[in-house]
Amino acid sequence: MRNIFIGSRRQLLAAVTGAALLAGTPAAWAQGAWPSKPVKIVVPFAPGGTTDILARAIAPDLSKAFGQPFIVENKAGAGGNVGAEMVARSANDGYTLFMGTVGTHGINKALYSKLPYEPQKDFAPITLVAGVPNVMVMNAERAKALNIHTVPDFIKYARANPGKLNMASSGNGTSIHMAGELFKSMNGIFMTHIPYRGSGPALLDMVAGNMDVMFDNLPSSMAHIKSGKLKAFAVTSSQRSATLPELPTIEEAAGLKGFEASSWFGLLAPAGTAPDTVNRIQQEVAKALATPAMKERLVALGAIPSGNTPAEFTRFIDAEHKKWAAVVKASGAKVD
């Protein structure tokens, strides 16, 4: 009996030791220990814009939920394409995520003659974080000097002075750019488009008076609107914003039937990322967006939180491709 007991004990000890060694292997970590190191969220624009604001809003909640830092990294350039390509080519191990936009995943495929990534094939959609209307703004002093107080005033001046107004955007292909192009084409006016590497630097020049007009995402312009440095004329969405209900839509203000150019922002991972990892991230983002504090914060900025499922976000992106391909074609915009 004693020999049997000793043998069983030795076998048990060997089994436990083997399991412990196996748990330390890379394969075991890959299967069950994500995340075991910091996770990067790539923002394809400069700091200060809505994409950056939303990424930094959810990062602390993800860090707390998973016990590892979720670090926002800004990788600006080419209307978001530089950051998108970087993530598309990254390892699909769950440690590199992407804050995509209507530009990177809805507009750019139709706008750019050559795109260094495939929006629908190179990414695994995780969740739509928020949707926001864009807002037509001018430097307040410039608007006053030109006697522009309404959207019709703006259109009248632009038609009488072709090329004298500069239109800032966060980059080629962004919703901010396309909202302006749609506005130009539907009104038969010409403005010089000046693309920046994000809303942050574009707004600095807007406030300084170096740029005339911008169709910016509402959250990034909100502080400047409230301070009086920017004059807001209208929102580009099909309905008024609950945050600034006094502002008409551009359709209402200018009689432009069917004008709609809103923005959205969502979290994605490289294609092939483990579904379990994708689902875990989506669930934690949805929890964060559902908290009263987060809802209050985003609504105050003019954003509408979402948190939908990966399948729902995938269908949404597919629909956005079709929609914006038609808008790009109608506007005649193209980037080589």
Side-chain angles (χ1 to χ4, degrees):
M1 280 298 283
R2 186 172 178 273
N3 290 336
I4 294 173
F5 176 77
I6 292 173
S8 299
R9 186 173 63 183
R10 285 174 178 171
Q11 290 171 0
L12 178 62
L13 181 61
V16 171
T17 303
L21 290 172
L22 179 61
T25 66
W29 279 113
Q31 290 174 4
W34 179 93
S36 61
K37 61 181 181 180
V39 178
K40 179 167 56 181
I41 302 177
V42 175
V43 169
F45 299 101
T50 301
T51 320
D52 185 68
I53 291 170
L54 292 175
R56 294 181 190 279
I58 64 170
D61 290 274
L62 292 175
S63 298
K64 183 178 180 181
F66 291 111
Q68 289 288 347
F70 277 66
I71 303 166
V72 175
E73 179 179 309
N74 299 86
K75 193 74 175 179
N81 292 341
V82 171
E85 180 184 12
M86 172 187 163
V87 176
R89 298 180 185 280
S90 297
N92 55 8
D93 55 7
Y95 291 101
T96 303
L97 306 179
F98 185 65
M99 184 59 85
T101 71
V102 63
T104 61
H105 282 76
I107 297 173
N108 288 1
K109 188 175 180 180
L111 184 67
Y112 283 80
S113 57
K114 293 182 180 180
L115 205 62
Y117 63 96
E118 171 52 57
Q120 291 160 290
K121 293 181 180 179
D122 292 344
F123 292 85
I126 298 174
T127 188
L128 177 67
V129 174
V132 304
N134 289 8
V135 59
M136 181 182 179
V137 292
M138 276 192 77
N139 176 279
E141 292 183 2
R142 178 81 166 140
K144 184 177 180 180
L146 296 177
N147 199 32
I148 297 175
H149 306 289
T150 64
V151 177
D153 289 343
F154 183 94
I155 296 170
K156 182 179 178 181
Y157 179 88
R159 284 175 176 166
N161 299 274
K164 288 189 177 181
L165 292 173
N166 291 323
M167 181 184 79
S169 83
S170 55
N172 287 316
T174 61
S175 70
I176 296 169
H177 171 208
M178 293 311 301
E181 293 294 341
L182 185 61
F183 185 83
K184 286 162 61 177
S185 66
M186 291 183 74
N187 285 295
I189 60 178
F190 172 70
M191 298 182 286
T192 303
H193 173 226
I194 309 295
Y196 287 75
R197 294 169 68 87
S199 282
L203 285 169
L204 288 177
D205 269 359
M206 282 287 296
V207 171
N210 299 324
M211 289 286 112
D212 298 311
V213 66
M214 188 173 175
F215 294 80
D216 191 31
N217 304 144
L218 183 54
S220 45
S221 276
M222 183 68 76
H224 300 301
I225 293 170
K226 289 184 175 180
S227 72
K229 293 177 180 178
L230 293 181
K231 166 71 175 176
F233 293 110
V235 291
T236 64
S237 48
S238 59
Q239 298 181 339
R240 294 193 180 201
S241 167
T243 309
L244 295 175
E246 68 278 10
L247 285 185
T249 65
I250 285 182
E251 179 175 346
E252 290 175 328
L256 298 178
K257 187 173 178 58
F259 188 101
E260 199 276 328
S262 297
S263 297
W264 55 261
F265 308 84
L267 206 58
L268 305 100
T273 299
D276 179 64
T277 301
V278 168
N279 289 328
R280 288 174 64 193
I281 297 170
Q282 182 271 328
Q283 290 163 9
E284 293 302 333
V285 171
K287 287 180 185 177
L289 294 174
T291 62
M294 183 69 80
K295 280 185 177 180
E296 183 178 350
R297 178 181 178 185
L298 295 187
V299 170
L301 290 170
I304 303 169
S306 177
N308 62 4
T309 67
E312 290 169 338
F313 191 27
T314 298
R315 290 193 293 270
F316 177 80
I317 290 174
D318 291 343
E320 286 291 284
H321 271 289
K322 294 177 182 178
K323 168 188 169 180
W324 284 103
V327 172
V328 170
K329 184 178 181 180
S331 72
K334 202 70 181 175
V335 178
D336 295 321

